[in-house]
């Protein structure tokens, strides 16, 4: 028996309110989420086109009206409100290698295990993962968004492990629609843009839609949010600390430039670090369909996006620094009397150790331009009155160029140290030293990434009614073939390949390709009809055979059932085998490295290391002695000097595909005594074995010294020690790990109450919730699984991106409907979470945010939408360690109260 989280009280309360609502409410359509209202009803999760077909999998849909009420300019503006979507990569994901992209992630299962579709076909991926930058999809064109959870690999192919997100575009639009919108944070920061869409019929045989969007988002710095203050995040002094080697005399400069003989070793410029990445984005798209003959229709899309962002990249924004002994000439023109008096000159030169940040070069920033193109064209039509055919081909390309600023070259072409070479020709004393940036700062052209995808597929679908029908109706089917080829290239500047920069480490260049040939089929069999307790009973199945040139031949399958008891109750379920092949970064990526110390100096990387348990006193004493660790309290294991080597990461050509099984079982309740009420409850289980991933140092160290302190623990070898016991190197290359196992419930309810005593046209109520009853991650088959439901921290992150794994999330909505508009109130809740760090008792309280929005048609064709999002200006929860700017921007709202305004004209 599943034990419900106490947050489920909210679910029960809503259900009681809905069931007790007056039965005289007007009936509303009870079509399943994900169903189109056109003649050929298309349900996300199947290729079988049958009127009245209903999904066996849980689907959460977001309508065009809901998107409009969020004054949405990007997908992120509304996708963060969907409970099944976890953090992923967002506008606040500083330090991510997504470089300003927005990436979706379902159920905390990792961004590469969620497949993004556009009208049921693959969207163009970017970079070295299988992820899609959903910023490349224009929000103005979206008619509906379906989130199908529970896996769909047999229908759509690899990567649909946790599910799919399907963006349905408005290819039937006619007229001219223009929109201008803005979202302004009351604490500073803005996003604004506009769109224009033109749709026209092509006689009575087709339609053409052309759309263009522009979006701009302002930079927000950490200093603009009180909760983001990080007084302990120091860097070496920006004025510099100078030590005369011969005498030991120390002197330096304050941050304001004053000379002192008792200098502070550190400064703090973290208030200048970017919290929200600036964005400039242009989308241009065209959708078309045209009936050439009654048997042949041509259709397709062309989409182009140019995105420009600036963020901190993997090394973080921390300015570069030097700690080096150099020779200062007695004739150095920048020596003041105060400085000269501190130096000891021998043969006209003084040996001086210089420890300072080179803040004059600026923060380390990645200025990325990404171009995404996808072209698709296809032909479709009826083969017979009961069977349709569809064949298409599409090509997608994503190219990125990143200019890294704020860094420089350590050595020149002759091998001489650049800083040592300029100390007597450029002023190095004090902050804001003129000439340093020109002398040492070198823009680096790195991470030139190109990703190509080609897909061709052909499908026959329909029914066998022309051959025969069962007593309960005709058998539905879909059969087809698909070919997909993908390539990826990443080029790097020579300085990155050789590690000749201050902050970038060693970055690998690599390329790779793969192709897959697939055959697939689906069947839907009507078993029984119009019997007592069986109004309709259908069973179905799907199978896909995939032949990879690199990963072998694999089969994925699905069995499903739909039992409509009567008009009040439907029972549904699926059982599937799913597959994910390694992405380019996982199987083709070369070994790159960063200084291990970055895990204590770079915000984004800090969750990956939590100190040495042997020094902190939380480790097993016998195990600590076995590996030569320092004594308890003998060192500061969170100091950069404690991590002396490198943090190695990269691909593994020996990786195998991930395989697993997903199960869903649920009910759809549409009680006739409460017309218009729909309640769905679906239980799910995602069980993935051989999951590709990395074991971060915090997880390896915790397992080795706390949870499994045995001599043979293989995770101990992932973080090595020096002779003095400090940590040397960390190895986090991709490997097939143990197991990811999640179980939970998806619950939704919707109802529209229409009564004379209500103002307007009625009251619309809705609820979407996700309850995780268990989430276990087993890093290696030789160690025990960790229970990760309701936790935060890198120990329980499946991919090191999303760091919060709540066991409860919901969105509750109430909308007051009027003839010309709606007033909408929404409540988002993220449940309480505890630290996944062994021995920690830290918790983060449940987070509740509220939105109030309204839409009104002033005159025909003119609509204004306004909203206040995060109505009560709720700050994100604060975490003591392991967060980014004291919180988790991948999960919680970091903008504060935001006012949105949108004006739309449609003629």
């Amino acid at each position: 028996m599943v034990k419900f989280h106490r947050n489920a009280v909210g679910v029960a309360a809503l259900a009681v309110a809905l069931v007790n609502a007056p039965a005289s409410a007007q009936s509303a359509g009870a079509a399943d989420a994900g169903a189109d209202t056109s003649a050929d009803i298309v349900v996300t999760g199947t290729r079988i086109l049958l009127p009245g077909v209903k999904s066996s999998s849980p689907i959460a849909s977001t309508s065009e009206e809901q998107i409009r009420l969020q004054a949405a300019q990007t997908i992120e503006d509304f996708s963060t409100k969907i409970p099944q979507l976890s953090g992923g990569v967002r506008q606040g994901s500083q330090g991510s290698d997504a470089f300003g992209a927005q990436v979706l992630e379902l159920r905390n299962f990792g961004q590469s295990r969620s497949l993004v579709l556009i009208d049921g076909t693959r969207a163009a991926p970017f970079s070295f993962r299988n992820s899609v930058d959903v910023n490349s999809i224009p929000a103005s064109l979206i008619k509906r968004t379906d989130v199908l959870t529970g896996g769909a690999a047999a229908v759509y192919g690899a990567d649909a492990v946790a599910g799919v997100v399907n963006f349905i575009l408005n290819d039937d639009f006619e007229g001219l629609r223009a929109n201008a919108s803005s979202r302004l944070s009351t604490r500073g920061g803005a996003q604004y843009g506009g769109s224009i869409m033109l749709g026209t019929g092509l006689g009575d045989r087709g339609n053409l839609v052309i759309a263009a969007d522009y979006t701009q988002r302002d930079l927000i710095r950490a200093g603009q949010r009180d909760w983001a203050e990080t007084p302990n995040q120091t860097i070496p002094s920006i004025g510099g600390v100078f030590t005369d080697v011969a005498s030991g005399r120390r002197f330096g400069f304050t941050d304001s430039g004053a000379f002192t003989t008792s200098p502070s070793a550190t400064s703090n410029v973290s208030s200048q670090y970017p919290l929200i990445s600036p964005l400039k984005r242009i989308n241009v798209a065209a959708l078309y369909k045209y009936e050439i003959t009654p048997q042949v229709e041509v259709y397709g899309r062309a989409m182009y996006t140019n995105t420009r962002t600036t963020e901190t990249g993997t090394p973080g924004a921390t300015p570069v620094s030097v700690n080096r002994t150099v020779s200062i000439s007695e004739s150095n023109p920048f020596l003041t009397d105060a400085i000269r008096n501190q130096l000891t000159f021998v043969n006209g030169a003084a040996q001086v150790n210089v420890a300072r940040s080179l803040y004059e070069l600026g923060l380390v920033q990645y200025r990325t331009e990404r171009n995404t193109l996808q072209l698709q064209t296809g032909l479709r039509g009826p083969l017979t009155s009961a069977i349709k055919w569809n064949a298409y081909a599409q090509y997608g390309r994503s190219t990125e160029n990143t200019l890294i600023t704020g860094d420089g070259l350590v050595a020149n072409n002759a091998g001489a140290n650049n800083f040592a070479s300029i100390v007597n020709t450029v002023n190095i004393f004090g902050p804001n030293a003129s000439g340093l940036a020109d002398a040492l700062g070198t823009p680096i052209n790195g991470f030139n990434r190109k990703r190509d995808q080609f897909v061709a597929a052909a499908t026959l679908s329909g029914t066998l009614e022309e051959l025969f029908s069962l007593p309960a109706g005709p058998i539905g089917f879909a059969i087809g073939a698909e070919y997909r080829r993908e390539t990826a290239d990443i080029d790097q500047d020579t300085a990155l390949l050789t590690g000749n920069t201050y902050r970038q480490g060693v970055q690998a260049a690599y390329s790779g390709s793969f192709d897959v040939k697939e055959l697939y089929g689906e069947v839907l069999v009507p078993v029984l009809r119009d019997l007592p307790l069986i109004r309709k009973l259908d069973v179905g199945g799907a199978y896909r055979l995939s032949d990879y040139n690199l990963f072998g031949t694999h089969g994925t399958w699905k069995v499903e059932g739909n039992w409509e008891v009567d008009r009040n109750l439907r029972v549904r379920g699926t059982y599937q085998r799913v597959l994910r092949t390694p992405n380019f970064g996982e199987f083709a990526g070369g070994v790159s490295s960063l200084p291990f110390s970055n895990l204590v100096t770079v915000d984004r990387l800090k969750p990956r290391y939590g100190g040495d348990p042997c020094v902190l006193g939380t480790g097993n004493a016998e195990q600590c002695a076995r590996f030569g660790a320092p004594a308890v309290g003998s060192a500061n294991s969170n100091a950069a000097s404690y991590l002396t080597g490198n943090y190695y990461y990269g691909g593994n050509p020996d990786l195998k595909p991930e395989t697993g099984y997903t199960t869903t079982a649920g009910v759809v309740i549409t009680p006739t005594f409460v017309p218009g009420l729909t309640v769905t409850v679906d239980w799910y289980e995602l069980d993935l074995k051989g999951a590709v991933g990395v074991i971060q140092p915090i997880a390896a160290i915790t397992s080795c010294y706390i949870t499994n302190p045995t001599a043979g623990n293989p995770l101990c070898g992932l973080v090595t020690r020096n002779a003095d016991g400090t940590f040397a190197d960390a190895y986090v290359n991709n490997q097939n790990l143990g197991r990811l196992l999640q179980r939970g419930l998806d619950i939704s309810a919707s109802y529209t109450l229409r009564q004379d005593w209500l103002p307007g046209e009625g009251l619309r109520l809705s609820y979407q919730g996700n309850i995780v009853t268990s989430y276990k991650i087993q890093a290696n088959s030789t160690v025990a699984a960790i229970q990760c439901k309701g936790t935060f921290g890198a120990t329980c992150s499946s991919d090191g991106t999303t760091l919060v794994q709540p066991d409860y999330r919901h969105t509750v909505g109430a909308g007051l409907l009027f003839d010309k508009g709606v007033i909408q109130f929404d409540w988002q809740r993220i449940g309480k979470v505890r630290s996944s760090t062994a021995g920690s008792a830290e918790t983060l309280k449940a987070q509740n945010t509220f939105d109030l929005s309204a839409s009104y048609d002033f005159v025909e064709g003119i609509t204004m939408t306004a909203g206040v999002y995060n109505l009560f200006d709720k700050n994100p929860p604060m975490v003591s360690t392991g967060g980014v700017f004291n919180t988790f921007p991948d999960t919680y709202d970091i903008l504060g109260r935001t006012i949105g305004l949108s004006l739309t004209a449609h003629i």
Side-chain angles (χ1 to χ4, degrees), residues 734-775:
N734 285 285
Q735 53 188 296
N736 288 104
L737 304 178
R739 185 180 185 188
L740 303 178
L741 176 62
Q742 185 180 135
R743 299 187 181 101
L745 293 167
D746 286 326
I747 303 173
S748 70
S750 62
Y751 180 62
T752 301
L753 177 65
R754 302 183 188 274
Q755 289 290 303
D756 293 339
W757 51 267
L758 277 172
E761 301 291 313
L763 178 65
R764 180 180 59 202
L765 305 174
S766 64
Y767 170 90
Q768 282 190 17
N770 172 242
I771 301 171
V772 178
T773 59
S774 179
Y775 184 24

Side-chain angles (χ1 to χ4, degrees), residues 324-330 332 346 348-352 354 420 423-424:
R324 186 178 183 86
T325 297
V326 298
S327 179
I328 301 296
S329 171
E330 193 169 9
N332 186 308
V346 177
Q351 299 303 304
V352 179
V354 181
V423 295
N424 291 301

